[in-house]
Amino acid sequence: MIGDYTYSEFGSILAMQGFAGLILFSVFVLMALGLAIIFGQMGVINMAHGEFMILGAYVTYLCSTFVSATIPAFFPYYFFVAMILAFCAAFALGVLVEWAMIRHLYKRPLDTLLATWGLSLVLQQTYRTVFGAREVGVSLPDWLIGSLPVTDVVEVPINGLFVMALTFVITAVVYLLMYRSNWGKRVRAVVQNRTMAGAVGINTRMTDRMTFGLGCGIAGIAGSAFTMIGSTGPTSGQQYIVDTFLVVVFGGAASLLGTIASAFTISQAQSTMEFFMSGSMAKVLTLLAVVGILMLRPQGLFTLKIRR
Amino acid sequence: MGSSSHASTGTLDKSRFANPFFTREGWLYFAILAVLILVVFPLTLDAFRLNNVGKYLTYAFVALGLVLCWGHSGILSLGQGIFFGLGGYCMAMFLKLEASSPENTAIQSTPGIPDFMDWNQITELPWFWAPFHSFGFTLIAIVAVPMILAFVIGFAMFTRRVGGVYFAIITQAIAAILTILIIGQQGYTGGVNGITDLRTLLGWNIRTSEAQFILYFVCAGLLLASLLLCRAVHVSKLGRLVIAIRDKEDRVRFSGYDVAAFKIFVFCFAAGIAAIGGALFTLQVGFMSPTFVGIVPSIEMVIFAAVGGRLSFFGAIYGTLLVNYAKSTFSETFPELWLFAMGGLFIAVVMAFPDGLAGLYHRHVRPHLAKIPGLFDRQSGRGRDVVAQPAE
């Protein structure tokens, strides 16, 4: 007996908490992947990252409203189209922002931080003007609602499973793009040595723009996935930004594997502690632990050894 | 820095490095500012507006610290709200305990403790509240608590040579943690409402308009004193060293200086000044809440300094006043436009005017003023208020 619970009950609670942690892990990974590319690879601080996610969420919302109003027969499958549209919208906005702002600020990282914060305020107010201040939710197709019973006490929600599968696919795609494609090779070359990369004929400006756009596009997909597990408001993005940055920094900025490992650590720690104490204290303790570890090991969990 | 050649041997123009505390020009600016906030505002504004200006001036403390910390030393802290808030909370705890005397709180189930504790079924004053019965302790704690926290953060980060954007992100995370903690621990901190209903300071009612008038002058006087103090730090050898650290950290380290110690000092100094501002905020506004601690207010405080000019102490004060005046005007008339304006301001200040108002003044206004004979001293090109641009 542990407290008031029997061992089997305790085991199921652990399993449920663990699964909740896995969903949180998927969310963190989705949030952090885009930032791991933008911040980790390019070294650009994009404080508007959360707003790019929310853009994806709003695109999904528009899609769901549009599809259910005009072609209800297509409704069960709209989500896949919505995700592609979310990616495209966030990618386009990202490329635009890179062209208008970021490319002038590559040598002033602290200023990029302030400028993108300004951008995030502008985007927030735009969302509020267009969609209203209230949070909006997406109606899910039937096949995403409900939960799968694993044992008689343990159940897992289907939308959570879907988010996990999606995370897995996107992570795999990003990995292939970054580490197994010519494009990824170019990106890494530009990051490691811009001058030499230019000298061997890589169009560094174009690479920067596409990399930034891709990071934003992935944020858009993440936002699209979020609509399945929560509602979206104009300021939702701002709530994620600290978590996301901590995940990336904690993992070691230049390492994709590190980002995934740190997302796993942070999410599991938080969801396990949430069982023993209030949600806010769990969050405080998790973040404090992360900050504390970062103070002892500033380079994060995983480091890439590059001679600069 | 313009004077980076001073390492060369030979004849040194001593007067270039003597760096007088203020030139005649500097004193002129100081006098203008002092007249503006000590004479012009109190004479022209009604009690409500004056109280608002007093509130803005408390933010100017933070902006002053940021000029030293960010502009001069290159340490961008996105967590100045932590220190502003801690200073404010220390003051609020003292005032709250005074307002919660057993006579005032006789209707509570536990008289003598703050009302929000009673609502949260706490029956005993928590240990960390107890020392705040003493005014002397409170005055020390207002500055000491934030500075100790700043020291811990600074020591951990700077001795491991963490700086730049990582430092910004960590300070931001700490601001977020503190906000969640304050909101979550409602029984000990007053939660999301903060510590409200503050009435008297040592028996003196701070809610009357006369008291607010006096507090405005206390605030303005302390701000001018802090300005002089910042200036003193800036013209000292330490002030020159932090600029050198900002521009070429490794070179300073190789010259044998303990870079981390200087950075820690500047960060703690900025924290202490921000905390004084926070305490004065609590006194003038009559409450303190987590909305002044978190990420959003902390970044807004950076923009105050950026608009004024990140290298100029005077600019920081004018920038704070201007941004806040614009904020209250906008949000009274066009609330939906305010975030657009604020966001645009962030982008414009970074992309188009990196030196803010002070930069504009030095480029466009000052050259004309300098032609007036006798207005600035003859050697006005030296020891100017605005130091050279960052090398980045």
Side-chain angles (χ1 to χ4, degrees):
Chain A
M1 294 286 282
I2 298 170
D4 296 334
Y5 305 103
T6 64
Y7 276 113
S8 72
E9 274 174 342
F10 192 74
S12 346
I13 287 166
L14 273 190
M16 302 271 269
Q17 281 317 106
F19 190 77
L22 281 181
I23 296 178
L24 193 65
F25 162 60
S26 315
V27 168
F28 276 179
V29 169
L30 275 182
M31 290 193 307
L33 269 181
L35 205 68
I37 292 174
I38 294 175
F39 174 58
Q41 298 293 329
M42 300 173 73
V44 171
I45 307 278
N46 183 13
M47 295 298 281
H49 195 75
E51 276 63 36
F52 280 98
M53 289 199 275
I54 300 309
L55 178 69
Y58 275 121
V59 168
T60 313
Y61 164 72
L62 285 182
C63 270
S64 105
T65 332
F66 177 78
V67 169
S68 62
T70 50
I71 23 176
F74 182 61
F75 192 74
Y77 318 105
Y78 84 91
F79 203 81
F80 299 99
V81 180
M83 275 197 310
I84 294 167
L85 286 178
F87 177 85
C88 294
F91 179 84
L93 185 64
V95 168
L96 183 73
V97 166
E98 203 276 346
W99 173 78
M101 257 167 59
I102 310 287
R103 70 186 167 124
H104 305 291
L105 301 172
Y106 280 125
K107 289 191 179 131
R108 292 149 59 192
L110 291 180
D111 286 1
T112 320
L113 197 157
L114 295 179
T116 49
W117 180 264
L119 176 72
S120 81
L121 295 182
V122 171
L123 287 176
Q124 271 173 34
Q125 187 56 45
T126 313
Y127 299 148
R128 195 170 292 136
T129 315
V130 176
F131 298 100
R134 269 198 294 165
E135 302 209 329
V136 295
V138 170
S139 43
L140 291 176
D142 289 335
W143 60 274
L144 276 173
I145 301 173
S147 52
L148 288 178
V150 179
T151 66
D152 6 325
V153 271
V154 182
E155 287 189 333
V156 293
I158 294 176
N159 55 358
L161 281 177
F162 185 76
V163 171
M164 281 165 63
L166 188 69
T167 307
F168 183 78
V169 172
I170 293 173
T171 312
V173 170
V174 168
Y175 172 79
L176 290 177
L177 258 181
M178 293 302 293
Y179 295 100
R180 291 287 178 271
S181 77
N182 277 331
W183 180 80
K185 232 179 241 169
R186 282 202 293 276
V187 171
R188 284 178 294 138
V190 170
V191 167
Q192 292 188 9
N193 194 332
R194 186 169 296 271
T195 325
M196 279 313 290
V200 297
I202 296 173
N203 186 343
T204 55
R205 276 197 183 167
M206 211 37 159
T207 311
D208 282 336
R209 197 158 303 159
M210 288 303 126
T211 315
F212 192 82
L214 181 76
C216 294
I218 292 173
I221 298 185
S224 184
F226 282 180
T227 55
M228 283 191 292
I229 41 182
S231 50
T232 310
T235 51
S236 308
Q238 212 166 49
Q239 294 155 11
Y240 296 122
I241 196 72
V242 168
D243 289 333
T244 318
F245 267 108
L246 277 188
V247 166
V248 177
V249 175
F250 185 54
S255 160
L256 204 60
L257 183 67
T259 303
I260 294 167
S262 87
F264 186 77
T265 321
I266 295 177
S267 59
Q268 289 299 327
Q270 190 171 325
S271 68
T272 314
M273 276 197 279
E274 256 168 28
F275 175 66
F276 295 103
M277 57 191 87
S278 69
S280 69
M281 273 319 278
K283 181 131 200 190
V284 165
L285 284 183
T286 316
L287 293 183
L288 263 185
V290 170
V291 167
I293 292 172
L294 277 178
M295 283 180 171
L296 298 176
R297 193 180 157 80
Q299 69 273 39
L301 292 178
F302 291 73
T303 46
L304 206 60
K305 289 196 174 58
I306 304 172
R307 189 171 291 174
R308 300 256 174 208
Chain B
M1 274 220 53
S3 55
S4 58
S5 61
H6 70 278
S8 64
T9 50
T11 51
L12 272 172
D13 178 6
K14 276 279 169 57
S15 70
R16 281 195 67 167
F17 306 110
N19 213 347
F21 186 70
F22 266 148
T23 54
R24 178 169 167 175
E25 186 185 353
W27 283 115
L28 192 67
Y29 297 146
F30 186 73
I32 293 173
L33 180 71
V35 169
L36 184 72
I37 62 177
L38 290 177
V39 181
V40 177
F41 284 153
L43 286 180
T44 54
L45 298 172
D46 58 57
F48 172 72
R49 297 271 168 200
L50 191 67
N51 184 237
N52 266 349
V53 172
K55 192 169 82 181
Y56 306 158
L57 289 181
T58 62
Y59 300 140
F61 283 88
V62 187
L64 276 183
L66 274 169
V67 168
L68 205 59
C69 188
W70 174 40
H72 293 167
S73 319
I75 307 164
L76 176 56
S77 160
L78 293 184
Q80 291 305 97
I82 304 170
F83 310 122
F84 184 83
L86 281 179
Y89 265 101
C90 285
M91 188 46 119
M93 283 159 85
F94 172 76
L95 297 177
K96 188 71 195 171
L97 284 181
E98 195 176 308
S100 327
S101 60
E103 304 86 64
N104 286 344
T105 52
I107 53 161
Q108 290 176 182
S109 46
T110 318
I113 64 171
D115 46 11
F116 59 81
M117 291 185 187
D118 198 53
W119 301 332
N120 285 284
Q121 283 87 42
I122 287 174
T123 50
E124 202 181 344
L125 198 66
W127 59 268
F128 62 91
W129 273 74
F132 287 92
H133 277 297
S134 147
F135 188 56
F137 176 85
T138 306
L139 285 185
I140 295 169
I142 285 170
V143 185
V145 170
M147 282 176 89
I148 290 170
L149 180 62
F151 179 81
V152 171
I153 299 172
F155 186 82
M157 307 289 290
F158 294 136
T159 50
R160 289 190 172 75
R161 305 188 185 178
V162 176
V165 291
Y166 286 88
F167 186 75
I169 291 172
I170 298 285
T171 47
Q172 190 182 40
I174 295 171
I177 294 171
L178 195 64
T179 318
I180 301 171
L181 188 67
I182 291 175
I183 293 176
Q185 296 300 308
Q186 202 172 9
Y188 299 109
T189 60
V192 72
N193 298 321
I195 301 179
T196 53
D197 203 20
L198 308 173
R199 293 168 199 160
T200 54
L201 172 70
L202 299 173
W204 177 51
N205 189 345
I206 57 168
R207 298 200 285 197
T208 62
S209 50
E210 296 89 70
Q212 303 249 314
F213 197 66
I214 294 168
L215 282 172
Y216 172 83
F217 282 101
V218 172
C219 177
L222 279 173
L223 181 67
L224 292 174
S226 304
L227 176 74
L228 294 179
L229 190 63
C230 286
R231 179 77 199 170
V233 171
H234 173 53
V235 299
S236 68
K237 189 179 171 194
L238 184 143
R240 303 235 121 190
L241 267 168
V242 292
I243 290 171
I245 291 172
R246 175 194 73 190
D247 289 347
K248 265 277 179 281
E249 182 166 332
D250 285 340
R251 204 178 279 186
V252 179
R253 185 174 287 129
F254 296 155
S255 307
Y257 290 104
D258 183 359
V259 167
F262 289 101
K263 287 180 142 183
I264 294 169
F265 173 82
V266 170
F267 186 53
C268 290
F269 185 83
I273 291 198
I276 296 173
L280 288 165
F281 178 90
T282 306
L283 277 176
Q284 292 190 79
V285 181
F287 75 97
M288 190 70 214
S289 86
T291 41
F292 303 100
V293 177
I295 300 169
V296 179
S298 298
I299 292 200
E300 275 189 11
M301 289 165 186
V302 173
I303 208 66
F304 300 158
V307 167
R310 65 184 75 167
L311 298 171
S312 159
F313 295 120
F314 291 108
I317 296 176
Y318 289 119
T320 312
L321 287 175
L322 200 71
V323 174
N324 281 292
Y325 173 74
K327 183 176 183 172
S328 62
T329 320
F330 262 107
S331 32
E332 275 166 25
T333 42
F334 315 103
E336 67 281 4
L337 280 184
W338 167 242
L339 273 185
F340 282 130
M342 188 78 173
L345 199 60
F346 268 98
I347 297 171
V349 139
V350 166
M351 312 274 305
F353 321 104
D355 292 317
L357 291 175
L360 290 179
Y361 168 79
H362 274 275
R363 210 165 308 130
H364 299 294
V365 182
R366 193 177 171 280
H368 299 292
L369 292 179
K371 285 179 196 149
I372 303 170
L375 184 64
F376 304 144
D377 58 359
R378 258 170 279 152
Q379 298 150 341
S380 59
R382 295 172 181 174
R384 278 189 307 176
D385 181 45
V386 172
V387 289
Q389 315 292 318
E392 43 183 25

